[in-house]
Amino acid sequence: PTNHHWHQSSATPEQTPPRSQTLCTRREAYERAFPLYKQPVEVGCFSLDSQRRFFNDSRQMRYYVEPDRSPNFDLSDGYRGRYVKRDENVKEKLDHILRWIVANRSKLKSKLSPDASCPLDFDFVTWRGHLTKLLTTPYETREGWLLAVTRFNGTLYISEVETEAARRERENRPERNQEMMYWGYKFEQYMCADKTYSEPDPSGVVNTNEAFCTVVQTRLTDHKLLFSGEVDCRDKDPDAPPPPACYVELKTSAEICTPKQRSNFHRFKLLKWWAQSFLPGVPRVVAGFRDHDGIVVSVETFQISKISQLIKNEYNCWKPTVCMNFCCDFLSFVKREATEDNPSVVYLFSWEPHKDVTYSVHRDSQYSFLPDWYIKEMTC
Ligand code: A3P
Ligand code: MG
Ligand code: MG
């Protein structure tokens, strides 16, 4: 087996390599063949309405509308007056996914019997966004993360905890950054219609409580995964392929004027965009390039499958295989270390840039995140 990424404290006489309580995040340790990643399959979806209420259906689905070649969208329009912002102080943890699991448990096959969902036939349940953070970890130099893990009925639930640094940054976000966050959502409003037959309505309110989420299952080597992620919109063509292949991710980015800007776009933006969409099998990103005043000057489509080719000319650039191998080894590390099956125990995995992943164990603490209603429902 390849153990070159494990920290070896000292030479040991045993045949088996020494097990470390830490996991290395250096890119060189993950440069090996691309791991098996099964084509993600959508097993369901859910919606969150303008008041962030859960619905076990696709009512918040939106449809992609091809824009003009030079669209001139004003992304600041409505920032003062037509903006309802989700309350970021409310920590939803895995609650919406757990509600979806409870509502759809009869559709999910069990490890023991094909009729019951107890225990779940998944090794991991989490948000796509948490997996995106894992994929980009070997290349991240600025922001660390905290991931709470609980083993319950054999399944490992992974839920992010906001770091102190992230909370401070959020609470001290400059006004300009607040407005730039709005730009991304405003772009979605310019590009999406509520119905297959309707047009976008830029005169409406931007409400960031609203979301349509896909739930997908897949496998990364021997890790069976169930995760959910927000989807911006879908192809409205009734002959489009079934989900997730019909989904479209929307993004905004500063317009590219210099070779340096192009290089940075390849190195940083495309890494994040690739990781986010590759995981659920979303095949394309439609990007709006905007100037300093938030005016979209051009729109370009990126096929996720072509991104690794696009970046190959970049010196010392990120590699998809490193991202996937690190994620895979992190999940193996979690499986090996988070052994106690107990909904009130949290293994808190912690990472800071330029360091190894470490963890601590917490019993009946502030970190416990599986709600009583879920434990009750899933205890068979
Ligand atoms: P952009 O994608 O244009 O940056 P998503 O792209 O994942 O659908 O997210 C929609 C928008 O939410 C983003 O638009 C951005 O404005 C905002 N957003 C998402 N994640 C963010 C983050 N970590 N920090 C700041 N803004 C974020
Ligand atoms: Mg989105
Ligand atoms: Mg988007």
Side-chain angles (χ1 to χ4, degrees), residues 62 128 185 188 230-232 249-251 276:
R62 291 184 296 177
R128 177 268 310 274
Y185 298 108
E188 295 176 6
E230 206 228 334
V231 168
D232 292 335
E249 172 61 41
L250 301 173
K251 290 288 177 194
Q276 182 187 28

Side-chain angles (χ1 to χ4, degrees), residues 6-7 20-25 30 134 137 144-149 326 330 333-334 337-338 346-362:
W6 289 100
H7 271 233
S20 175
Q21 305 251 95
T22 68
L23 180 69
C24 155
T25 62
Y30 299 96
L134 288 171
T137 294
W145 46 250
L146 286 171
L147 293 170
V149 177
F326 171 73
F330 174 77
F333 179 58
V334 168
E337 303 297 330
V346 163
Y347 294 81
L348 187 65
F349 289 83
S350 165
W351 177 71
E352 287 300 329
H354 314 297
K355 297 202 173 141
D356 291 348
V357 179
T358 61
Y359 73 91
S360 51
V361 189
H362 306 261

Side-chain angles (χ1 to χ4, degrees), residues 50-256:
S50 59
Q51 295 167 64
R52 206 69 182 169
R53 291 176 304 199
F54 173 96
F55 292 90
N56 185 30
D57 58 39
S58 60
R59 67 183 65 195
Q60 293 292 342
M61 171 82 82
R62 291 184 296 177
Y63 299 89
Y64 175 69
V65 177
E66 186 98 27
D68 282 359
R69 289 233 298 138
S70 39
N72 266 289
F73 297 145
D74 178 1
L75 300 181
S76 288
D77 179 53
Y79 177 59
R80 284 162 233 279
R82 299 197 325 280
Y83 182 22
V84 178
K85 196 173 161 294
R86 180 174 72 85
D87 183 353
E88 292 175 293
N89 294 309
V90 177
K91 299 300 173 200
E92 301 173 322
K93 298 171 276 195
L94 297 186
D95 290 5
H96 298 307
I97 301 176
L98 304 180
R99 281 198 69 178
W100 181 89
I101 291 174
V102 167
N104 296 277
R105 52 188 304 192
S106 57
K107 291 201 287 183
L108 299 170
K109 88 175 199 314
S110 165
K111 228 180 273 185
L112 298 178
S113 98
D115 315 310
S117 59
C118 223
L120 286 179
D121 191 26
F122 293 104
D123 300 311
F124 293 94
V125 169
T126 192
W127 281 107
R128 177 268 310 274
H130 302 354
L131 296 174
T132 304
K133 288 204 174 178
L134 288 171
L135 260 62
T136 58
T137 294
Y139 298 105
E140 180 61 51
T141 57
R142 295 183 317 164
E143 289 168 6
W145 46 250
L146 286 171
L147 293 170
V149 177
T150 290
R151 185 187 285 267
F152 173 54
N153 284 349
T155 295
L156 292 146
Y157 295 82
I158 306 180
S159 178
E160 188 173 26
V161 174
E162 188 176 46
T163 63
E164 277 305 311
R167 188 175 59 81
R168 272 198 303 274
E169 211 171 275
R170 178 167 62 84
E171 285 169 353
N172 301 316
R173 215 179 263 148
E175 170 62 21
R176 162 103 180 151
N177 291 37
Q178 303 259 19
E179 185 164 343
M180 288 175 73
M181 272 184 65
Y182 171 80
W183 290 356
Y185 298 108
K186 184 66 187 177
F187 181 61
E188 295 176 6
Q189 191 190 52
Y190 279 113
M191 301 286 286
C192 299
D194 289 341
K195 303 277 184 265
T196 53
Y197 51 83
S198 64
E199 288 295 313
D201 177 17
S203 73
V205 169
V206 169
N207 185 327
T208 59
N209 288 301
E210 296 175 3
F212 167 79
C213 296
T214 180
V215 183
V216 303
Q217 71 168 48
T218 184
R219 187 156 62 84
L220 175 57
T221 65
D222 59 337
H223 307 304
K224 288 183 186 173
L225 314 178
L226 180 73
F227 60 84
S228 176
E230 206 228 334
V231 168
D232 292 335
C233 56
R234 62 159 288 164
D235 189 329
K236 64 178 167 190
D237 184 343
D239 296 327
C246 61
Y247 291 151
V248 180
E249 172 61 41
L250 301 173
K251 290 288 177 194
T252 62
S253 199
E255 66 178 316
I256 296 164

